[in-house]
Amino acid sequence: MATTPVRDRSTIMVLNGPNLNLLGRRQPEIYGTDTLADIEKLVAETAAPHGLTTDCRQSNHEGQLIDWVHEARERHAAIIINPAGYSHTSVALRDALAICDGLPIVEVHISNIHQREPFRHHSYVSALASGVIAGCGVQGYAFAVERVAALLTAARAQA
C-alpha cells in the first residue's frame, strides 16, 4: 500500500544546477571564490534563526534536478533554486516547478544575468518564482532564505 509523503514545513530544498560544483575554481571573476560548501553553510546559518533547515543538492543533470523538484513538491516547505544554464534552456525544469502547488520558489543567480550575454537574459524559471535574486554574489542565497522565511511566516499567519 502506498503512503502519502508528509511535507516537512521547516525544510527548504536548495537546488544548484550544472557547473556550480566548480564554484571557487570556475571563472572567479564572475562567480567569486566562495565554494558550494560555503553556500551550503551560509544558507544553513541563515535558516537556523527562523527555525528552518536546509536540504542542499547539486547536479549537472537536468533529470536529477527535476526528480528533486518532484520530491520537494511532496516533502519540503519551499525551494531555492539556481538552475544555472538550465535557466535559459529547460522547459522541462520549468514544467516541474510549475506543478509545485503554491510552494514558495525563489530563483537565485550569483552573477547578474542581465549584464551578461543576451541568451542569459531570459529564464524559464523566473515567471514561476516568488522572487528572483541576481547579481548579489553568494549573498543572494542568504537573501533567498530570508525571503522564503518571510513567505512561510505569512502563509502560517493566513492559515
Side-chain angles (χ1 to χ4, degrees):
M1 178 160 108
T3 59
T4 303
V6 176
R7 183 175 282 174
D8 179 348
R9 304 281 181 194
S10 66
T11 302
I12 303 166
M13 173 83 76
V14 181
L15 296 177
N16 284 286
N19 299 310
L20 293 172
N21 56 306
L22 298 176
L23 285 174
R25 297 177 294 173
R26 174 183 172 235
Q27 296 177 288
E29 69 281 2
I30 295 173
Y31 301 107
T33 57
D34 290 304
T35 66
L36 191 56
D38 295 329
I39 290 169
E40 291 173 356
K41 181 179 179 206
L42 173 65
V43 296
E45 290 173 349
T46 307
H50 299 286
L52 299 168
T53 58
T54 55
D55 179 358
C56 299
R57 305 180 190 188
Q58 185 278 330
S59 181
N60 294 318
H61 305 283
E62 182 179 31
Q64 180 64 74
L65 292 166
I66 291 166
D67 288 344
W68 288 337
V69 167
H70 293 173
E71 179 182 338
R73 176 181 178 266
E74 298 291 332
R75 300 186 184 273
H76 291 73
I79 298 172
I80 294 172
I81 184 167
N82 182 340
Y86 290 137
S87 307
H88 325 292
T89 63
S90 182
V91 172
L93 183 57
R94 178 246 177 253
D95 287 350
L97 290 163
I99 59 171
C100 282
D101 303 329
L103 198 69
I105 299 166
V106 177
E107 179 181 9
V108 176
H109 295 281
I110 296 169
S111 68
N112 184 344
I113 60 173
H114 304 289
Q115 289 181 332
R116 298 189 60 197
E117 305 91 339
F119 72 87
R120 295 186 195 275
H121 296 181
H122 177 264
S123 168
Y124 285 104
V125 172
S126 295
L128 302 171
S130 305
V132 178
I133 300 165
C136 297
V138 298
Q139 187 180 17
Y141 286 87
F143 296 155
V145 171
E146 293 291 344
R147 182 63 184 148
V148 163
L151 291 169
L152 293 174
T153 299
R156 281 188 213 112
Q158 291 180 350

